Amino acid sequence: MVPGIHRPAAVCVDLAAIRQNIQEEIKHLAPGQKLFAVVKANAYGHGAVRVAQEAVKAGASGFCVAILDEALELRQAGIVLPILVLGVTPVKYASLAAVNGVSLAVPNLEWLKEVESNLIQDQLQLKIHLAVDSGMGRIGFSEDDEFIAANELLLNNPNFDVEGLFTHFASADSSDDSYFQMQVTRFNHFKKLLKIKPKWIHVDNTAASVFDKKVHSDLVRFGIGIYGLNPSSNPASADLETAIQLKPAMSFVSELVQVHTIHKGQGVGYGSTYIADEDQIIGTVPVGYADGFIRKFQGFKIKVGSEYCPIVGRICMDQLMVQLPYEMAVGTKVVLISNDPVAPNSLKKAADYVDSIHYEVACLLDDRLPRKYYNLQ
Ligand SMILES: *Cc1c(COP(=O)(O)O)cnc(C)c1O
């Protein structure tokens, strides 16, 4: 995919906000607690390498990614801090991870046994974090016998460096604590079955940390908070209050490329879902669903100059149209998504509009949109 550098559209990322969010979180940590910056999925659409470099400056102790390729990207960019792959890595790539000093999550005993034989063959040692499925139903150990057998396999085993034990919460962003507490109890049970003492026992994501869930975690896997977004993702209720100040880093901007008048009865866009009921001024913006700005945004108000204007007609693959209150010049700035958290077109409000969450809307923004960085330092 080529980034479109010859059209006026970009995802802008405030690097000062990224650094500040991490520094604020580090100030909030318990004594001895570390921050691992979660930069999976191209740092939630913000650009993994740039965000990782800022995270190093801001004092992060390591990184989490979802897939091995994302870890290798960071290594190739010169990042030497620990990197943990949170997802399941195919057994055949475990040696590649070991060679690159990348830590892998262990999903189950079978994976561990198969990886062990590869590591013996290749004479390598792999850093690992044992995953516990305490209630996400996703990856990790959930049966005592299997977990105990894994511990026995790992005891004094030169092919493995057991760095961590971790679990992931399904509802750390909820004000109802019961499922969360059940998961804590499940996880504590597995902690007691450990035969090895890992360096890091960790459970906190952004939500568990910034909503002060009071559960022991040697490191915080800090994801959405880096990007300045409140992890509450329930549009039906107000955001929970965060213990630290978060500043959104991402905005999505473009410009008007055409402005023209359409007359009463004329339609806009495919299917003519919008018909002008009087003469109207229509502006065209050169972004569309191929950039990840999905068709569901039809009707959403984006900022053109100083006015919030509705998107009219269906969003096309590469263009969309807005209804302007008065004639504006070609080249007028368009803010599709604002980094002002109280703006009507904040990422959070945009996500609510399309019945989604800000995590998803940020990730959808495609590589065709160049990332532009400002506040470099
Ligand atoms: C993505 C992820 C995180 C980070 O979650 P945020 O809500 O973005 O802080 C932490 N841990 C695991 C296992 C994850 O998959």
Side-chain angles (χ1 to χ4, degrees):
M1 169 75 73
V2 286
I5 57 173
H6 301 100
R7 81 165 162 176
V11 170
C12 299
V13 179
D14 178 355
L15 293 181
I18 298 277
R19 290 189 300 271
Q20 185 188 312
N21 293 325
I22 294 171
Q23 284 158 352
E24 286 298 308
E25 173 65 7
I26 288 175
K27 279 189 226 157
H28 175 68
L29 296 177
Q33 202 177 26
K34 303 286 182 207
L35 180 147
F36 271 37
V38 183
V39 294
K40 61 194 180 191
N42 200 27
Y44 299 33
H46 295 65
V49 170
R50 283 310 278 268
V51 170
Q53 287 164 342
E54 298 311 302
V56 171
K57 289 182 210 162
S61 300
F63 293 93
C64 296
V65 294
I67 65 175
L68 180 56
D69 305 82
E70 294 171 343
L72 298 177
E73 182 188 24
L74 298 185
R75 285 282 179 259
Q76 273 146 25
I79 300 282
V80 296
L81 291 174
I83 305 174
L84 167 61
V85 178
L86 296 166
V88 180
T89 304
V91 166
K92 61 181 170 192
Y93 300 128
S95 294
L96 180 61
V99 167
N100 286 279
V102 170
S103 311
L104 298 185
V106 178
N108 54 51
L109 180 61
E110 194 184 324
W111 186 95
L112 196 60
K113 284 180 177 165
E114 290 174 16
V115 165
E116 185 191 29
S117 64
N118 286 3
L119 294 171
I120 291 171
Q121 210 168 18
D122 298 341
Q123 298 186 325
L124 290 167
Q125 188 187 62
L126 178 70
K127 299 181 206 307
I128 54 170
H129 291 233
L130 301 173
V132 171
D133 176 10
S134 60
M136 259 300 272
R138 195 166 70 173
I139 68 163
F141 293 87
S142 56
E143 302 292 336
D144 290 8
D145 297 353
E146 192 183 341
F147 187 70
I148 291 165
N151 272 269
E152 278 159 5
L153 182 151
L154 292 169
L155 212 55
N156 302 319
N157 188 326
N159 293 109
F160 293 102
D161 173 6
V162 187
E163 283 186 325
L165 176 79
F166 76 106
T167 196
H168 192 50
F169 294 121
S171 54
D173 63 335
S174 165
S175 50
D176 178 357
D177 233 21
S178 52
Y179 200 82
F180 179 86
Q181 290 306 339
M182 181 282 291
Q183 285 199 257
V184 172
T185 307
R186 277 299 286 158
F187 185 65
N188 286 341
H189 170 74
F190 280 90
K191 252 171 36 181
K192 288 199 197 92
L193 298 178
L194 273 177
K195 291 196 163 64
I196 311 135
K197 172 94 184 77
K199 187 158 38 163
W200 294 305
I201 294 182
H202 52 110
V203 300
D204 277 7
N205 55 1
T206 300
S209 176
V210 302
F211 300 142
D212 281 336
K213 288 293 190 180
K214 309 268 183 257
V215 43
H216 178 85
S217 192
D218 293 322
L219 59 88
V220 178
R221 304 186 303 264
F222 195 58
I224 198 79
I226 296 177
Y227 314 103
L229 302 166
N230 185 314
S232 302
S233 52
N234 183 359
S237 57
D239 279 356
L240 298 173
E241 189 92 30
T242 55
I244 63 163
Q245 191 78 33
L246 294 170
K247 186 174 178 357
M250 178 188 278
S251 51
F252 175 20
V253 302
S254 186
E255 289 176 7
L256 294 178
V257 291
Q258 171 158 337
V259 177
H260 67 297
T261 300
I262 62 165
H263 299 291
K264 183 178 174 179
Q266 275 187 286
V268 176
Y270 291 116
S272 306
T273 58
Y274 180 82
I275 305 279
D277 53 7
E278 57 185 343
D279 286 4
Q280 281 181 358
I281 306 162
I282 297 295
T284 303
V285 183
V287 299
Y289 63 77
D291 298 295
F293 202 71
I294 59 176
R295 280 167 37 125
K296 263 193 165 178
F297 279 113
Q298 180 170 349
F300 187 62
K301 287 185 175 165
I302 60 179
K303 198 170 186 189
V304 186
S306 54
E307 307 286 342
Y308 288 96
C309 306
I311 295 171
V312 291
R314 286 191 187 137
I315 292 178
C316 311
M317 186 184 288
D318 317 293
Q319 304 180 66
L320 60 81
M321 283 69 81
V322 283
Q323 187 210 326
L324 304 175
Y326 47 82
E327 188 82 25
M328 291 187 194
V330 163
T332 300
K333 189 174 174 190
V334 175
V335 180
L336 294 106
I337 291 173
S338 170
N339 61 351
D340 175 355
V342 297
N345 61 340
S346 69
L347 193 56
K348 169 81 176 168
K349 287 273 167 36
D352 289 351
Y353 187 83
V354 296
D355 298 318
S356 180
I357 54 173
H358 42 24
Y359 292 75
E360 185 178 40
V361 174
C363 287
L364 280 173
L365 297 177
D366 194 86
D367 284 352
R368 192 167 76 172
L369 294 165
R371 270 53 178 174
K372 290 200 174 146
Y373 298 97
Y374 62 102
N375 288 335
L376 302 190
Q377 193 143 31

